[in-house]
Amino acid sequence: MRMMTSRKANAHILYDAQTAPQTGQPALMPEHFTGAWWRSRDAVTGQAPGRGESLFVQAGDQAWVLRHYRRGGLVARLSAEHYVWTGPERNRAFRECRLLATLFERGLAVPQPIGACAWRTGALYQAALITRRIDGAQPLASLVQTPQAATHHDALLTACGRMIRRFHDEGLDHVDLNARNILIDDQETPWLIDLDRCRLRRAGRWQADNLARLERSLEKFAPGQAKTLMAPINHGYQSS
């Protein structure tokens, strides 16, 4: 990947120079990170569930996901989409985009990053990220909501454990490892998404904390089944 940076007015942009031409221009522009631009070209093909606006868009012969950063919890009552500006390379979109690029180039199962944009307004900024859409993907959360999920998806859950172990071996601390952030594609291959605030670090207690967070998530989507579902995940994790 060849990551480039540019600036237009108050917008700072980081993009993969090899995929930007899908928009018909040599570089990504600020308008490419807005839903309005894609809607005006009738290029929006769907919307992902979750906090904020995550749009599926068609860029040339590629399918992309446009995600705007939104806050959750109590702090969202003060500002749902503004963050404190601490520099162009320290904004959340740039950091996630560069982390994705690093992991993607290492061959890990993350979406290919296309670009990131941060719009600065004084001491605050808003941000958006574009990634390549994973064909036929659906969240693990939607697959575990049946009593027979553990037996019907034993091999898949084991594969999820192996995937998580590989990320951990590379040092990725996924601070929001939950069943919605594990996607399963049409070949039943698991992928990891939403790396906002994640980082690479040395092995430590955080690895067990990631798995515990996933188990709590499974209990939320499949009450009473979490420990049963975690058994093949832990098996895959430990056997890798």
Side-chain angles (χ1 to χ4, degrees), residues 103-114:
L103 296 172
F104 183 81
E105 289 184 328
R106 293 183 186 179
L108 276 80
V110 295
Q112 179 183 354
I114 305 300

Side-chain angles (χ1 to χ4, degrees), residues 41-102:
R41 285 154 179 77
D42 197 28
V44 175
T45 60
Q47 184 168 346
R51 185 171 67 244
E53 181 183 61
S54 293
L55 299 179
F56 301 138
V57 301
Q58 191 66 35
D61 60 0
Q62 294 185 7
W64 291 354
V65 180
L66 168 63
R67 173 166 61 88
H68 282 259
Y69 286 75
R70 298 285 190 271
R71 291 182 181 275
L74 295 176
V75 71
R77 297 181 182 179
L78 299 176
S79 179
E81 57 187 35
H82 288 88
Y83 302 86
V84 176
W85 178 262
T86 56
E89 284 295 332
R90 293 180 61 82
N91 73 76
R92 293 170 77 151
F94 272 39
R95 294 176 71 174
E96 182 172 1
C97 191
R98 289 200 184 278
L99 179 57
L100 283 169
T102 296

Side-chain angles (χ1 to χ4, degrees), residues 18-34:
Q18 295 175 315
T19 56
Q22 293 290 330
T23 62
Q25 299 184 35
L28 288 180
M29 304 297 286
E31 55 266 28
H32 297 142
F33 293 89
T34 67

Side-chain angles (χ1 to χ4, degrees), residues 125-204:
Y125 74 93
Q126 296 171 271
L129 176 74
I130 297 176
T131 57
R132 187 86 173 261
R133 187 177 179 183
I134 301 169
D135 293 336
Q138 55 181 319
L140 179 64
S142 66
L143 298 177
V144 300
Q145 296 180 10
T146 64
Q148 300 81 21
T151 54
H152 286 185
H153 300 295
D154 183 82
L156 177 59
L157 293 168
T158 301
C160 288
R162 293 195 185 103
M163 176 203 66
I164 295 168
R165 177 60 181 269
R166 187 175 179 199
F167 277 97
H168 280 181
D169 287 346
E170 291 290 336
L172 180 72
D173 178 6
H174 197 298
V175 297
D176 192 18
L177 185 61
N178 66 67
R180 285 194 180 277
N181 287 336
I182 296 175
L183 296 186
I184 311 301
D185 67 14
D186 50 10
Q187 301 299 312
E188 294 202 339
T189 298
W191 298 70
L192 199 56
I193 64 168
D194 195 357
L195 271 59
D196 181 27
R197 299 180 295 111
C198 299
R199 58 175 173 155
L200 297 176
R201 57 190 304 198
R202 294 181 179 179

Side-chain angles (χ1 to χ4, degrees), residues 207-221:
Q207 294 164 307
D209 291 342
N210 282 183
L211 293 171
R213 187 178 185 87
L214 176 59
E215 183 170 347
R216 291 194 299 272
S217 168
L218 291 171
E219 182 61 30
K220 174 183 176 182
F221 293 108

